[in-house]
Amino acid sequence: MRKLALLLACAASPALATGLEIEVAGEANGTVTIDLFEDVAPQHVEQITALAEAGKYDGVVFHRVIDGFMAQTGDVEFGRKGGDMRRAGMGGSDRPDLPAEFSEIPFERGVVGMARSQDPDSANSQFFIMFEPGPFLNGQYTVVGEVTGGMDVVDAIKRGTGPNGAVVGEPDMMEEVTVID
C-alpha cells in the first residue's frame, strides 16, 4: 500500500527494479533488503549501485547511529572497518558529488536517504536508514529507497554514544552489499 502511494505521489513508473541486499555484521547480524527508487532519484541510485557493484561498500561501518532517528553508513573513503574511525563520516568516493533530487516522499521509518553536508548538492556515497519518522528532513534530503526486508536487523544496529551519534568501540558494518533486480 505504501509503495503504491509513493508511486502515485511521485508519478513514478510501477517498476522499482533495482535494489540492494546488505549483509550486516556486528551486534546486528542479518540481511537488509532495500528497494531503490530509480525513477525518483536516478543519479543517486546510479551512484549507489555503481559503488556497490564495485565492492566499495563491503566492510564499511555504520559510523553514526542515533537512537530514535537513523543509522548512517557509506563512507567508502574513511569508513572501512579497521580504519581510523575518527575520520569516518568525513569522506565520500572518487565519484563526483550529486545535485539534489528532492521529492515528495516523506522520511518515514525504513526510508533510505542520502547524507550530505550543508550544501544540498554534496551527496556522494553516504546514506542513512530511518528508525523513526523525521519530517524535518522532508524536501531537504534526497530519498533513494526503502527497506523492504530486515528492518529488525536495522533496529539492532549498535547505537552511537559519542558526539553527534558517533559509534564508540566496534561499530556494526556492511559486510557485503549486492545489487539485486
Side-chain angles (χ1 to χ4, degrees), residues 124-137:
N124 187 288
S125 64
Q126 295 185 47
F127 60 92
F128 56 91
I129 303 170
M130 301 298 292
F131 290 127
E132 300 295 333
F136 51 91
L137 300 175

Side-chain angles (χ1 to χ4, degrees), residues 38-181:
E38 53 210 356
D39 294 332
V40 173
Q43 293 176 76
H44 288 77
V45 169
E46 190 280 325
Q47 183 111 317
I48 289 171
T49 56
L51 290 168
E53 287 173 340
K56 299 289 187 178
Y57 286 127
D58 297 352
V60 173
V61 302
F62 287 89
H63 64 272
R64 182 173 181 236
V65 184
I66 302 173
D67 194 35
F69 181 31
M70 58 87 211
Q72 186 171 324
T73 187
D75 182 347
V76 302
E77 185 175 6
F78 300 123
R80 292 215 175 275
K81 179 142 176 101
D84 183 353
M85 288 299 101
R86 294 174 296 185
R87 301 206 56 203
M90 296 181 196
S93 72
D94 58 2
R95 296 174 61 95
D97 288 349
L98 298 168
E101 294 179 292
F102 298 147
S103 68
E104 298 296 318
I105 299 173
F107 278 89
E108 298 290 336
R109 175 173 164 75
V111 166
V112 180
M114 290 297 288
R116 62 171 176 79
S117 69
Q118 295 295 328
D119 177 359
D121 298 327
S122 64
N124 187 288
S125 64
Q126 295 185 47
F127 60 92
F128 56 91
I129 303 170
M130 301 298 292
F131 290 127
E132 300 295 333
F136 51 91
L137 300 175
N138 295 347
Q140 305 296 312
Y141 287 80
T142 299
V143 171
V144 294
E146 177 181 32
V147 173
T148 57
M151 197 62 199
D152 58 323
V153 177
V154 173
D155 288 336
I157 293 171
K158 181 178 180 180
R159 301 308 198 260
T161 57
N164 204 19
V167 176
V168 177
E170 286 292 312
D172 289 352
M173 72 169 176
M174 297 187 292
E175 194 167 53
E176 183 178 16
V177 180
T178 306
V179 177
I180 55 175
D181 291 325

